[in-house]
Amino acid sequence: MIGRLTGRLLEKQPPHLVLDVHGVGYELEASMNTLLGLPPVGQDCQLFTHLVVREDAQLLYGFGKEPERRLFRELIKISGVGPRLALAILSGMEQGDFIRCVHDEDSRALTRLPGVGKKTADRLIIEMRDRLKHWTVSTDDGLNEMKRASQPQPPITHPLADAEAALVSLGYKPVEAAKMLSGLESGASTEALIKAALARKMAS
């Protein structure tokens, strides 16, 4: 099991990234919250990881915080919640917000997440309630230790298109993703557009 990786960030194309660890490039998928906390391409970072082995693929997921990985592992234990949906849930809201939704039985907020209908939201609340009973939102969130490197971040040429593709990969329909991004500043970075679109969705 690969539990943690430290290396240089080679590529960052939400929700995918490539981390160079001593010359070996590891392809990972990460939540938007993790991706937004990463340094520019060319700098070093550390990620906690979870490996999913299937018959047709081995998928590696990366997390900037260990508690986020723990929550991911709890989510995929629930019937009907696979790694992709778990990643979408972690992308759509902060860990603390999810815990509060479960404690407050706020299924309406959960249904704003892609792929989460009323039945899934109710199941998340019922099955996660006891598991999260003693969880608290810590101020010590275990953020990555970032090191500066000499390589600059390459320019992003199509941030709006990249942001829309990232939202679609999380489970939002293309029309919905376009609506979430409509009116946002086109000159912003991909990460900033994704963050603003997700915030707009959760506030609607």
Side-chain angles (χ1 to χ4, degrees):
M1 176 67 73
I2 302 172
R4 186 169 62 181
L5 292 172
T6 301
R8 179 165 295 179
L9 189 60
L10 292 183
E11 298 178 22
K12 184 168 57 173
Q13 185 67 37
H16 306 284
L17 59 92
V18 177
L19 198 65
D20 180 0
V21 181
H22 301 299
V24 179
Y26 288 87
E27 295 182 355
L28 304 96
E29 288 189 42
S31 74
M32 292 303 164
N33 288 321
T34 287
L35 282 161
L36 291 170
L38 290 176
V41 170
Q43 294 191 11
D44 290 353
C45 66
Q46 181 184 94
L47 290 171
F48 297 92
T49 60
H50 179 85
L51 178 65
V52 174
V53 179
R54 304 189 324 210
E55 290 184 1
D56 59 341
Q58 295 186 27
L59 305 173
L60 194 59
Y61 297 89
F63 309 91
K65 312 169 187 178
E66 198 281 329
E68 186 185 33
R69 181 179 64 177
R70 280 197 292 134
L71 182 54
F72 174 86
R73 287 174 169 173
E74 292 294 340
L75 285 169
I76 60 176
K77 293 177 184 177
I78 297 175
S79 175
V81 179
R84 185 163 294 279
L85 179 54
L87 206 65
I89 291 171
L90 294 174
S91 293
M93 60 174 56
E94 297 283 350
Q95 176 188 330
D97 293 331
F98 178 80
I99 294 172
R100 280 187 286 271
C101 283
V102 171
H103 288 334
D104 297 341
E105 300 186 8
D106 188 356
S107 60
R108 184 172 179 272
L110 294 175
T111 57
R112 297 192 188 107
L113 299 167
V116 179
K118 184 64 167 63
K119 290 183 179 179
T120 302
D122 291 341
R123 188 186 308 124
L124 284 168
I125 290 172
I126 292 170
E127 296 196 28
M128 293 296 290
R129 192 162 44 202
D130 289 337
R131 299 180 188 185
L132 299 179
K133 186 180 297 183
H134 302 294
W135 282 46
T136 58
V137 183
S138 172
T139 55
D140 180 15
D141 57 7
L143 290 174
N144 294 333
E145 293 182 2
M146 315 295 186
K147 296 180 180 179
R148 294 191 175 275
S150 58
Q151 296 182 1
Q153 183 178 15
I156 300 174
T157 53
H158 303 290
L160 197 60
D162 290 343
E164 184 173 341
L167 292 171
V168 170
S169 73
L170 286 175
Y172 292 104
K173 295 178 180 179
V175 173
E176 187 178 16
K179 183 178 179 181
M180 291 165 65
L181 291 165
S182 177
L184 296 180
E185 185 180 350
S186 59
S189 68
T190 300
E191 291 85 353
L193 288 168
I194 293 169
K195 185 176 182 179
L198 291 172
R200 171 187 285 181
K201 179 64 177 178
M202 295 309 297
S204 63

